[in-house]
Amino acid sequence: MVQHSDAILDASFAALSDATRRGVLAQLGRGDASITELAEKFHMTLTGMKKHVGVLEQAGLVATEKVGRVRTCKLGPRRLEEEAAWLERHRQLWAARFDALDDVIEELKRKEKVDGSKNRK
């Protein structure tokens, strides 16, 4: 289960690491589009856009359907819940670490203030 989940996260984050692919997802969030329309929108070749769509499709973030000669893209069935949960777990971990660091800094400031008061006497 962990390996399956890790593979999904790897594929998703790899797909999301590219600005064009994030742009394609944003575009498809506004409505379905053909690969030709996406290529024109992003000023790239059909081959280049097909590669980006393929990466998004492998990650389950985009689904395509071929009708005749046109391949239409739409947002995939996955809604990034696993990715959001992973990010939230790590956000909470880092927030707790920063809170602990704030406590240490406040304690050091308090001690420094006390030591400074003692040295002035």
Side-chain angles (χ1 to χ4, degrees):
M1 181 67 186
V2 171
Q3 289 179 341
H4 177 69
S5 181
D6 283 348
I8 290 171
L9 290 175
D10 289 349
S12 294
F13 286 125
L16 295 171
S17 69
D18 183 89
T20 299
R21 291 192 287 263
R22 291 191 303 273
V24 167
L25 289 177
Q27 183 67 32
L28 294 177
R30 292 187 281 274
D32 298 352
S34 70
I35 290 179
T36 302
E37 292 168 333
L38 292 171
E40 289 171 1
K41 175 83 177 171
F42 290 91
H43 310 287
M44 44 181 5
T45 64
L46 279 175
T47 302
M49 183 52 70
K50 283 179 185 175
K51 287 180 181 177
H52 283 298
V53 169
V55 171
L56 291 166
E57 201 170 16
Q58 285 180 340
L61 302 174
V62 166
T64 63
E65 179 183 7
K66 189 170 184 178
V67 178
R69 296 178 61 190
V70 177
R71 183 170 292 278
T72 302
C73 305
K74 62 183 179 183
L75 290 179
R78 295 191 53 240
R79 300 285 184 218
L80 298 173
E81 288 96 357
E82 280 189 57
E83 294 80 359
W86 187 90
L87 289 170
E88 179 57 23
R89 283 192 306 273
H90 285 81
R91 187 199 64 75
Q92 289 177 0
L93 176 70
W94 281 102
R97 288 182 177 181
F98 283 124
D99 288 346
L101 181 60
D102 285 344
D103 292 343
V104 169
I105 290 170
E106 287 303 315
E107 180 64 22
L108 289 172
K109 284 181 179 177
R110 190 184 59 74
K111 285 181 180 178
E112 187 176 281
K113 193 173 184 177
V114 169
D115 291 345
S117 297
K118 288 179 184 175
N119 290 338
R120 280 188 239 139
K121 291 182 181 179

